[in-house]
């Protein structure tokens, strides 16, 4: 006669309950393409293609570059240069922008888009430069970030291009796209991308590297239909966006 199995006690049943799995800590994605030899090869190819890469915003001072960079948000450098050609004839120093008529300034910078916010940023930053920094654009990341409308991208452009101070890497739309295509990062957030790039690019290359990636994005590695056949990084690139 088959022996009936003894019913398990509540205690036994409880001990058999599946334990919840420990939450897995999300590891920060490390791009496979960050091998130092590969990074060095990419830098060498960028140097070869764009030895004279630089900022395409026309300016004659750190202050003008700051204003042009604020204007360049969501706007082409060509359009910004057209607008500033006249603008800088009228507004020559920070005081001129700081105490300008906002209605007039809005009208003058309107072609660059987002003109109300940009007017607030330009006037606010100019006022802070006059009132807190003795009329000079500050030279440290910490101080420049206190200016209204200035975030890391603008700060890096001004510190790097106007002062030659390598405080970080400029991460704009081209740098976001290209650093992902070249597998130098697996992040989409500009702050994280900058951290990733700063970790793998030697500091003395931060300034030129930003310009070179931006130039490459404009001239070859466009968002749509990158010109891969003409790209000198083609043998190093395994992006799924590559065209054949
Ligand atoms: S091979 Fe194509 S996708 Fe890769 S970097 Fe060059 S242009 Fe961009």
């Amino acid at each position: 006669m088959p022996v009936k199995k003894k019913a398990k006690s509540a205690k036994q049943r409880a001990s058999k309950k599946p334990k919840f799995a420990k939450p897995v800590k999300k590891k920060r994605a490390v791009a496979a393409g960050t091998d130092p030899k590969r990074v060095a090869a990419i830098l060498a190819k960028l140097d070869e293609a764009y030895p004279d890469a630089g900022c395409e915003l026309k300016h004659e001072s750190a202050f003008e570059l700051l204003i042009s960079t604020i204007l360049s948000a969501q706007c082409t450098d060509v359009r910004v240069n057209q607008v500033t050609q006249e603008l800088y004839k009228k507004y020559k120093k920070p005081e001129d922008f700081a105490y300008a008529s906002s209605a007039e300034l809005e009208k003058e910078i309107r072609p660059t888009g987002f003109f109300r916010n940009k007017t607030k940023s330009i006037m606010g930053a100019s006022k802070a430069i006059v009132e807190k920094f003795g009329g000079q654009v500050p030279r440290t990341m910490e101080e420049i970030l206190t200016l209204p409308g200035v975030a890391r991208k603008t700060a890096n452009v001004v510190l790097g291009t106007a002062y030659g101070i390598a405080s970080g890497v400029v991460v704009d739309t081209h740098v976001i796209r290209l650093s992902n295509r070249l597998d130098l990062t697996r992040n989409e957030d500009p702050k994280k991308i900058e951290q990733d790039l700063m970790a793998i690019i030697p500091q003395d290359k931060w300034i030129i590297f930003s310009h070179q990636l931006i130039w490459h994005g404009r001239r070859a590695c466009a968002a749509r239909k990158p010109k891969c056949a003409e790209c000198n990084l083609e043998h190093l690139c395994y992006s799924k966006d590559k065209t054949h």
Side-chain angles (χ1 to χ4, degrees):
M1 214 177 134
V3 184
K4 260 191 181 178
K5 270 191 181 174
K6 233 182 165 184
K8 284 179 181 167
S9 70
K11 204 176 167 186
Q12 282 171 321
R13 283 199 303 270
S15 70
K16 284 279 180 193
K17 268 186 189 170
K19 283 182 186 157
F20 288 109
K22 275 188 187 167
V24 182
K25 268 193 186 172
K26 260 196 180 175
K27 271 193 187 167
R28 190 146 147 207
V30 176
T34 57
D35 169 73
K37 274 191 191 155
R38 180 175 184 270
V39 174
I42 289 173
L43 296 181
K45 284 289 163 192
L46 286 171
D47 280 344
E48 194 182 286
Y50 311 109
D52 304 317
C55 181
E56 294 184 287
L57 290 169
K58 288 185 185 154
H59 62 280
E60 287 188 1
S61 65
F63 178 68
E64 282 189 3
L65 181 58
L66 172 70
I67 303 301
S68 293
T69 311
I70 292 173
L71 289 174
S72 72
Q74 309 288 322
C75 183
T76 64
D77 286 2
V78 174
R79 174 69 56 87
V80 172
N81 289 337
Q82 284 165 354
V83 168
T84 56
Q85 196 175 12
E86 290 308 310
L87 199 69
Y88 296 152
K89 284 182 192 162
K90 178 175 172 187
Y91 302 89
K92 295 186 188 330
K93 46 190 190 306
E95 287 88 336
D96 300 338
F97 280 109
Y99 311 112
S101 147
S102 56
E104 259 178 51
L105 186 54
E106 280 181 3
K107 222 159 130 195
E108 286 155 343
I109 66 165
R110 195 183 175 113
T112 69
F114 302 96
F115 57 94
R116 289 200 183 91
N117 276 341
K118 288 180 182 177
T119 296
K120 273 187 206 148
S121 298
I122 289 172
M123 292 182 68
S126 302
K127 217 175 253 183
I129 287 170
V130 172
E131 294 170 8
K132 294 187 195 153
F133 297 104
Q136 300 297 317
V137 178
R139 288 174 171 263
T140 65
M141 179 59 82
E142 204 186 351
E143 288 177 317
I144 202 167
L145 286 178
T146 65
L147 302 177
V150 174
R152 277 196 74 91
K153 189 187 93 178
T154 303
N156 277 323
V157 170
V158 176
L159 293 175
T161 300
Y163 293 144
I165 298 169
S167 295
V169 176
V170 175
V171 178
D172 76 342
T173 174
H174 298 291
V175 177
I176 294 174
R177 184 177 71 255
L178 267 74
S179 53
N180 271 282
R181 277 184 178 167
L182 290 169
D183 201 22
L184 300 177
T185 182
R186 298 266 167 100
N187 284 303
E188 292 294 329
D189 173 55
K191 277 187 193 158
K192 289 184 185 160
I193 292 177
E194 191 186 352
Q195 291 301 313
D196 290 345
L197 295 176
M198 285 164 76
I200 56 168
I201 310 288
Q203 189 171 5
D204 63 355
K205 298 292 268 177
W206 287 355
I207 300 172
I208 183 97
F209 171 77
S210 311
H211 292 312
Q212 287 170 330
L213 269 203
I214 293 168
W215 276 38
H216 191 54
R218 285 181 179 153
R219 288 156 179 77
C221 193
R224 279 184 219 160
K225 294 193 190 159
K227 297 175 188 164
C228 303
E230 299 168 23
C231 174
N232 77 338
L233 293 165
E234 201 272 335
H235 64 295
L236 292 162
C237 176
Y238 44 82
S239 166
K240 61 179 176 6
D241 297 331
K242 262 172 86 168
T243 52
H244 298 284

